[in-house]
Amino acid sequence: MVGMRDVAKEAGVSLSTVSLVVNDTGYVSDDMRERVAAAMKKLDYIPNELARNFYRDRTDIIGVIVPTISHSFFSTLAAALQHELAGRGYRTLLCSQADAEGGEAEYVDMLQRHMMDGIIMAAHTSHATDYWTLIDRPVVAFDRYLGAGIPSICSDHVHGGQLIAQQLIRTGARHVVSIGGPRSQFHDLPAHLPGHLPSQGARSDASLGSDGANTTFPTVRYYLTLEHELGQAAIRYDYVEVGEVYDVQGYPRIAHEIFERFPDVDAIVGSDISAAYCVQEALRRGAHIPDELQIIAYDGSYLTEAAGMRITAIRQDFATIAKLTSERIIEEIGKGEKGARGLASSQSSGAVQRDPTSPAFAFTGEGGTEGQGYQPDLHPQGELVPVQLRLGETTRA
């Protein structure tokens, strides 16, 4: 078996020079690097990946945790992240919570044992926020609040809710039904923790609670904004729970149930999957879209083109989400490497220094006044990615 000593002998250089080239550490002149590369090619030398990773304290692997890849949003997001990370020299290890027995805990264990360099968390977690902050390894959240000091990338769901409301108000909707996950997600944090979403005049009911939402799910802001805006316009609004996001079989059932429960519904809002099933259910019932019934999807994945009609959708920018999320996790990995090299004495090997008192999510009304929608101030931990309303055949002009 060919080893580095053989390469060094063939190239006429020292063993340390070959090591520097193989591990890409330290300075080696272009001439020396070319000689080593030529020798490696001639001898068909294959570097020991495990040994090299141990030497560099790097794996170039990033874990991506999603609830399920059977949902069009998360499969599209995972594909965008894998493409973006590959372009930056990283491989992706995908964990679908619904399809992996160990779930996120297995991936966190791998991260702590340095079997991967970082985690992008895009799924629900039942762990308390200190679980994630005490990991003290590179973690970035997408559309989740994991704890103070953990960076988060979020789509601008407040604007998404506003765009939907404006479209439905302008086109004369009278009864809107919105499809979403369990309302318990709207208040899955204690009210005193960061992430609390104060009420801005949205309807208070038993499922919503009098204080709006204190949530690890920034996505719920589009539901609350939509509910508030429609309430201000005196348009009837009902929220229907479809269950957990990985329960894909629940969507056709909910589509059928909506038409049975609400015969006067004239507008439906939901994820791409639920909107697609609602289009198909409406067409089977002979409903005229969009004259009698308008349907708006939220996500803008490929499914909005595959339901028999092009669905009007709030489009999340998958490319920008993947770009920003990849940049942030690589930055966090870089912080850990500086700590490992002893450039920051307060950091342990591979650890990310975080200020436990820094804010995570602070929610205020736009301009500080009530009744103008929810305007989250995510600086410095969170960044908002703009969304767009893409008109299709399922809404009126």
Side-chain angles (χ1 to χ4, degrees), residues 168-191:
L168 294 179
I169 292 170
R170 183 178 61 81
T171 54
R174 299 178 302 278
H175 182 187
V176 178
V177 172
S178 182
I179 305 170
R183 290 290 286 234
S184 59
Q185 296 175 352
F186 287 35
H187 44 84
D188 62 350
L189 279 176

Side-chain angles (χ1 to χ4, degrees), residues 127-145:
H127 295 289
T129 53
D130 60 356
Y131 172 84
W132 294 97
T133 55
L134 291 175
I135 289 172
D136 211 22
R137 291 277 289 152
V139 177
V140 169
F142 170 68
D143 259 352
R144 296 295 183 271
Y145 168 64

Side-chain angles (χ1 to χ4, degrees), residues 295-308:
I295 297 176
I296 299 179
Y298 199 100
D299 288 336
S301 70
Y302 62 89
L303 268 188
T304 58
E305 305 281 349

Side-chain angles (χ1 to χ4, degrees), residues 58 159 231 237 246 262 291 306 349 359 363:
R58 285 277 298 277
H159 191 216
Y237 175 87
Y246 50 78
F262 308 109
D291 296 334
S349 176
F363 298 91

Side-chain angles (χ1 to χ4, degrees), residues 158-179 183 200-204 221-240 265-270 294 296 371-374 396:
V158 173
H159 191 216
Q162 292 170 339
L163 289 172
I164 296 172
Q166 291 166 7
Q167 174 69 19
L168 294 179
I169 292 170
R170 183 178 61 81
T171 54
R174 299 178 302 278
H175 182 187
V176 178
V177 172
S178 182
I179 305 170
R183 290 290 286 234
Q200 298 290 339
R203 183 185 66 188
S204 297
R221 288 175 287 181
Y222 106 70
Y223 297 115
L224 293 177
T225 302
L226 175 62
E227 185 171 357
H228 170 69
E229 299 291 329
L230 294 179
Q232 293 290 96
I235 296 173
R236 181 181 172 187
Y237 175 87
D238 284 287
Y239 184 90
V240 176
V265 61
D266 65 353
I268 300 174
V269 179
Q294 300 188 85
I296 299 179
Q372 296 184 13
Y374 306 96
R396 296 189 286 271

